[in-house]
Amino acid sequence: PAPGHAPPYLRWVTFLSFQELTFLTKQEILLALKRFSELLPKEEREDILQTRVPASKMLTLPELRANPFQHRICWVFSTSEAQDSSMSFEDFLDMLSVFSDSATAEIKSHYAFRIFDFDDDGTLGQKDLEKLVNCLTGEGDETRLSDSEMDQLIQNILEESDIDKDGTINLSEFQHVISRSPDFASSFKIVL
């Protein structure tokens, strides 16, 4: 094989390990492989395990295009050293695995927290909550909350969720709230 290219049997072993390391079935992994390869130029499909897809291309997937957190999802699941939100096939599988019906509520809530933590500081503070609300309500003039409505909503969220009363929501506080939301796990999903 050419330098940098794994021989076919090694690629097959790698592929089989994906089933062990994710919540995805063999059929779901094959479908993911097909969908990911369709995002690549033909000449790059041969080396699919070494190729990254730019975030702009990832966002053309209907499952992400309609999601108000599309940019954060790419950011959180990307392992790109360039921090450009591009995704490898493994990143793509990790994302699909977390959003699959088979992923546990604990894993889903962990990643939801990371997606909602817009400033990546490990807590959901005032600014994170404002961005979260704006993503959910839309940022148009007709759907945007007034400053007083936003302040009241964030105060209500913090009263309900901020157990240690430090003005932010940490991961365990977030998971506590999510544990009382029975349809969270079933609604936090992406199906190819």
Side-chain angles (χ1 to χ4, degrees), residues 38-53:
E38 289 168 353
L39 296 171
L40 295 170
K42 284 195 176 12
E43 62 275 7
E44 292 180 24
R45 291 181 185 171
E46 185 63 33
D47 205 19
I48 198 165
L49 296 179
Q50 307 305 318
T51 306
R52 300 192 74 78
V53 172

Side-chain angles (χ1 to χ4, degrees), residues 39-73:
L39 296 171
L40 295 170
K42 284 195 176 12
E43 62 275 7
E44 292 180 24
R45 291 181 185 171
E46 185 63 33
D47 205 19
I48 198 165
L49 296 179
Q50 307 305 318
T51 306
R52 300 192 74 78
V53 172
S56 58
K57 271 281 227 227
M58 294 303 302
L59 296 176
T60 65
L61 288 170
E63 301 81 8
L64 284 176
R65 192 172 45 225
N67 192 306
F69 301 100
Q70 56 182 255
H71 295 284
R72 285 296 302 166
I73 291 169

Side-chain angles (χ1 to χ4, degrees), residues 10-19 26 29-30 33:
L10 189 55
R11 283 187 295 209
W12 185 244
V13 169
T14 301
F15 176 78
L16 290 176
S17 72
F18 291 147
Q19 199 174 342
K26 182 178 172 184
I29 294 170
L30 289 170
L33 185 64

Side-chain angles (χ1 to χ4, degrees), residues 23 25 27 40 42 50 63 66 72 79 85 89 93 103 121 160 174 187:
F23 294 102
T25 65
Q27 284 68 33
L40 295 170
K42 284 195 176 12
Q50 307 305 318
E63 301 81 8
R72 285 296 302 166
T79 58
S85 296
F89 181 61
L93 281 183
D121 69 351
E160 180 77 23
F174 180 79
S187 62

Side-chain angles (χ1 to χ4, degrees), residues 37-180:
S37 70
E38 289 168 353
L39 296 171
L40 295 170
K42 284 195 176 12
E43 62 275 7
E44 292 180 24
R45 291 181 185 171
E46 185 63 33
D47 205 19
I48 198 165
L49 296 179
Q50 307 305 318
T51 306
R52 300 192 74 78
V53 172
S56 58
K57 271 281 227 227
M58 294 303 302
L59 296 176
T60 65
L61 288 170
E63 301 81 8
L64 284 176
R65 192 172 45 225
N67 192 306
F69 301 100
Q70 56 182 255
H71 295 284
R72 285 296 302 166
I73 291 169
C74 287
W75 174 258
V76 166
F77 286 96
S78 173
T79 58
S80 169
E81 290 180 16
Q83 295 188 334
D84 58 6
S85 296
S86 65
M87 290 183 126
S88 67
F89 181 61
E90 285 187 50
D91 296 340
F92 185 58
L93 281 183
D94 285 344
M95 177 189 77
L96 293 176
S97 180
V98 167
F99 282 102
S100 75
D101 283 331
S102 304
T104 65
E106 184 178 356
I107 286 175
K108 287 178 177 287
S109 63
H110 171 82
Y111 279 92
F113 182 84
R114 288 188 55 204
I115 290 165
F116 301 157
D117 182 13
F118 289 89
D119 59 10
D120 296 313
D121 69 351
T123 64
L124 303 183
Q126 177 95 18
K127 293 287 182 215
D128 295 315
L129 295 173
E130 283 179 23
K131 285 185 178 183
L132 173 59
V133 169
N134 285 333
C135 281
L136 293 172
T137 61
E139 300 205 34
D141 288 340
E142 66 284 349
T143 58
R144 179 173 278 245
L145 298 181
S146 70
D147 289 346
S148 63
E149 291 170 325
M150 180 68 81
D151 289 342
Q152 184 59 54
L153 179 58
I154 289 175
Q155 283 314 113
N156 293 348
I157 291 170
L158 289 171
E159 273 178 33
E160 180 77 23
S161 311
D162 183 17
I163 297 166
D164 63 10
K165 303 298 179 210
D166 67 351
T168 65
I169 301 168
N170 62 38
L171 177 59
S172 64
E173 291 167 334
F174 180 79
Q175 288 178 321
H176 177 72
V177 169
I178 293 301
S179 71
R180 298 182 315 199

